[in-house]
Amino acid sequence: MNSRYSILNHKDLERAYTSINQHTRPLEHNELCRYISDSIQEALKLDAENTIILNNQHPDWVEFSANFYRLKSWDWNYGQSPSFIESLQTAFSWGNVELRLNIDAGVINNVYYDAPVAYHNMMNDFSQTAIGYPFNAKSMISIVCGLLLKHSEHYDELMEVSEWLQQEIA
């Protein structure tokens, strides 16, 4: 490719733009345009006098707000994500817990765990119950609430697991 851009030296551009960074006060739009035009003209040996740099008007805030609030939550994307494995681990006062959740189309389809032996029954039930639930923080609450009846002796531990998972997944 034989153009003026192909012979451009990265150091020349760096030198040309360095002076903009030396300002101690914010640049006005017109000043910035002038600096950019001068730098282009000097570094690229081009006539930048006819270059017009527009200060874009404000974007469409109504459309921006609508898109922002729609995309702020991952609910719009539920079921559209590729399969993935979420690995989580933490240390509780009662022991270390590691979970690997296989997620397919936003749904938990398998859970592997490592936990203290005293909590294997509870974690085994958790891993079986979680299958089929959506992968989100609300589901963790439902899963744990279902386990509270069967594992009432581990109420505090289940509450800790629930809080941890809600924080990690939210």
Side-chain angles (χ1 to χ4, degrees):
M1 179 173 197
N2 196 6
S3 73
R4 288 185 174 190
Y5 299 104
S6 63
I7 61 170
L8 181 63
N9 184 336
H10 143 299
K11 290 291 180 193
D12 291 337
L13 272 180
E14 187 176 290
R15 244 180 278 114
Y17 290 109
T18 301
S19 63
I20 294 175
N21 292 331
Q22 304 305 319
H23 278 274
T24 56
R25 64 176 176 76
L27 290 174
E28 295 292 324
H29 175 73
N30 292 343
E31 291 176 295
L32 181 60
C33 292
R34 183 81 249 148
Y35 273 110
I36 293 172
S37 295
D38 290 348
S39 296
I40 290 170
Q41 190 168 351
E42 184 181 326
L44 301 177
K45 310 290 188 261
L46 295 173
D47 177 18
E49 290 302 315
N50 296 326
T51 303
I52 298 172
I53 301 172
L54 296 176
N55 184 8
N56 290 338
Q57 296 300 315
H58 295 291
D60 179 359
W61 290 113
V62 174
E63 182 181 346
F64 172 80
S65 293
N67 284 333
F68 175 78
Y69 287 109
R70 182 175 66 87
L71 299 175
K72 188 168 102 171
S73 164
W74 280 101
D75 292 344
W76 65 272
N77 197 29
Y78 175 73
Q80 297 179 32
S81 63
S83 298
F84 65 96
I85 296 174
E86 182 73 19
S87 294
L88 305 168
Q89 57 185 344
T90 194
F92 295 110
S93 60
W94 45 273
N96 296 328
V97 173
E98 182 177 347
L99 293 175
R100 285 184 46 219
L101 297 99
N102 292 356
I103 315 299
D104 187 28
V107 175
I108 301 169
N109 65 18
N110 211 339
V111 178
Y112 301 96
Y113 68 89
D114 185 23
V117 174
Y119 300 94
H120 273 207
N121 286 339
M122 176 185 81
M123 293 306 295
N124 188 53
D125 287 344
F126 173 87
S127 67
Q128 295 302 310
T129 304
I131 295 172
Y133 273 87
F135 179 65
N136 60 41
K138 290 178 186 175
S139 293
M140 296 305 126
I141 297 169
S142 298
I143 295 166
V144 169
C145 283
L147 296 175
L148 285 172
L149 294 174
K150 185 173 181 181
H151 297 281
S152 57
E153 73 279 9
H154 296 306
Y155 176 85
D156 293 334
E157 292 86 350
L158 281 167
M159 290 291 95
E160 285 183 74
V161 168
S162 178
E163 288 177 28
W164 167 58
L165 290 173
Q166 287 175 63
Q167 289 175 353
E168 290 293 319
I169 295 172

